[in-house]
């Protein structure tokens, strides 16, 4: 078993393979289960930051060629392939077996649907670790060092092999624990973002997740991400630039000028093409104008005329 620390600079993707692209992968998201500790609630549909838990996970693995969701059908933020395990409620290994049957890539990302803080960066870390080590898979470990087989990427061939062997040995995959799979594979452990494997098994977990995204340090990024998903916008926005613009407009013109100016910047950027650079250029020009207004206000009427 290989250990890999995604936070270590020596393992940075650019440092190891300059210009490398993300390998092609499929994703299987397990969105079934009885959610007994949540009183049978529809766990994938519970929201954190105004977005269902399932949609948050689907955003993190948006780079997948095919995404299979094992669970009941529901509206989702992006298109997916649906399936159910046999029998329904047969457990995570049975669900994984059902999902893998609908994948074709050589790498399969496997996720549970209740990971509010999973990010695309963690997915990239897992894929990178798999490529560098040549192991059968790469999985995250939590803050206490426990394996998280549902925050992992596996090579398809050994994954299919072990699923088939387990089904043959036990008659089916229903009711079997995930550890039967994990112990038979050569896996690399990845120490990534401590929150990447935080899951919402209880109401207390859900409350903690909802409180954490409102922490001052990350609330703006969470909000911007939520708005972009709600509006269907795929655009990298430099929130610092927009906040600086809003400050300049409020200080140099008037407080109500801040939201109106940022709206106009967005409109101008959309007309110019809607790219990130269009937002930056529109914000730059609007900020320069706001600074000119402020300079005039500070100068007043100019130097006094001593002649009266």
């Amino acid at each position: 078993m290989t250990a890999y620390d995604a936070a270590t600079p020596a393992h940075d993707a650019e440092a190891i393979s300059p210009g490398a692209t993300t390998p092609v992968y499929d994703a299987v998201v397990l969105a079934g289960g009885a959610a007994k500790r949540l009183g049978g609630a529809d766990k994938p549909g519970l929201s954190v930051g105004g977005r269902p838990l399932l949609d948050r996970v689907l955003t993190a693995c948006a780079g997948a060629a095919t995404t299979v969701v094992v669970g009941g059908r529901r509206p989702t933020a992006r298109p997916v392939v649906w399936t159910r395990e046999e029998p329904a409620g047969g457990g995570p290994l049975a669900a994984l077996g059902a999902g893998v049957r609908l994948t074709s890539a050589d790498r399969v990302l496997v996720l549970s649907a209740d990971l509010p803080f999973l990010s695309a960066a963690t997915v990239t870390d897992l894929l990178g670790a798999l490529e560098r080590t040549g192991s059968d898979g790469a999985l995250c470990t939590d803050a206490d060092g426990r394996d998280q087989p549902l925050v992992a990427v596996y090579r398809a061939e050994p994954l299919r092999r072990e699923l088939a062997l387990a089904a043959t040995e036990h008659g089916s995959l229903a009711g079997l624990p995930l550890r039967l799979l994990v112990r038979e594979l050569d896996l690399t452990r990845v120490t990534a973002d401590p929150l990447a494997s935080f899951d919402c098994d209880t109401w207390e977990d859900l409350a903690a997740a909802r409180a954490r995204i409102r922490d001052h340090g990350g609330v703006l990024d969470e909000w911007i991400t939520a708005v972009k998903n709600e509006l269907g916008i795929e655009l990298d926005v430099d929130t610092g630039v927009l906040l600086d613009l809003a400050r300049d407009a409020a200080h140099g013109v008037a407080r109500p000028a801040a939201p109106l100016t940022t709206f106009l910047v967005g409109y101008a950027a959309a007309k110019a093409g809607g790219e990130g650079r269009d937002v930056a250029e529109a914000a730059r020009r609007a900020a320069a104008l706001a600074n000119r207004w402020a300079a005039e206000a500070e100068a007043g009427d100019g130097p006094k005329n001593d002649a009266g």
Side-chain angles (χ1 to χ4, degrees):
M1 190 78 71
T2 305
Y4 166 71
D5 187 348
T8 302
H11 294 290
D12 179 79
E14 289 299 320
I16 293 175
S17 182
T21 58
T22 301
V24 175
Y25 70 96
D26 289 337
V28 174
V29 181
L30 307 191
K36 293 180 180 178
R37 287 191 281 175
L38 286 166
D42 176 23
K43 182 160 64 167
L46 296 175
S47 68
V48 172
R51 291 191 291 155
L53 286 168
L54 176 57
D55 278 351
R56 296 180 72 92
V57 172
L58 292 178
T59 297
C61 64
T66 298
T67 300
V68 182
V69 179
V70 186
R73 288 175 176 265
R74 67 187 69 235
T76 52
R78 62 181 181 83
V80 300
V81 176
W82 294 96
T83 191
R84 293 301 300 262
E85 72 275 22
E86 293 290 344
L93 206 60
L96 178 56
V100 168
R101 283 197 292 270
L102 299 179
T103 64
S104 58
D106 291 337
R107 304 161 190 82
V108 181
L109 178 71
V110 177
L111 304 168
S112 60
D114 60 347
L115 303 167
F117 302 115
L118 182 71
S119 68
T122 296
V123 172
T124 299
D125 287 341
L126 288 168
L127 289 164
L130 182 65
E131 295 309 297
R132 282 184 285 273
T133 61
S135 55
D136 293 336
L139 54 74
C140 277
T141 57
D142 65 17
D144 296 320
R146 293 186 294 259
D147 289 345
Q148 299 296 316
L150 297 184
V151 191
V153 63
Y154 301 92
R155 296 192 189 277
E157 189 280 325
L159 177 62
R160 293 176 189 277
R161 180 193 69 226
E162 293 304 326
L163 286 169
L165 288 173
T168 299
E169 180 179 353
H170 297 277
S172 79
L173 295 175
L176 298 182
L178 279 170
R179 66 175 178 271
L180 289 182
L181 176 70
V182 173
R183 74 187 186 191
E184 298 299 332
L185 295 172
D186 173 25
L187 299 175
T188 296
R189 290 183 169 91
V190 175
T191 305
D193 182 343
L195 290 175
S197 59
F198 180 94
D199 55 8
C200 293
D201 286 333
T202 66
W203 292 112
E204 290 76 14
D205 293 337
L206 188 70
R210 288 172 171 173
R212 181 174 287 276
I213 68 162
R214 293 180 178 275
D215 285 350
H216 179 71
V219 66
L220 285 177
D221 286 339
E222 284 283 351
W223 171 247
I224 293 299
T225 299
V227 171
K228 288 193 293 184
N229 278 274
E230 188 72 17
L231 300 179
I233 298 171
E234 295 184 9
L235 175 67
D236 288 331
V237 177
D238 189 332
T239 55
V241 168
L242 294 180
L243 288 173
D244 287 344
L245 168 61
R247 180 202 62 212
D248 292 342
H251 173 74
V253 184
R255 289 183 65 85
L260 294 173
T261 303
T262 52
F263 165 77
L264 292 174
V265 162
Y267 183 78
K271 288 188 65 177
E275 300 292 333
R277 61 177 178 271
D278 300 317
V279 176
E281 174 59 16
R284 183 194 65 77
R285 294 175 62 184
L289 176 61
N291 288 330
R292 293 199 299 270
W293 273 62
E296 290 178 7
E298 291 172 2
D301 294 330
K304 295 295 184 180
N305 187 336
D306 292 339

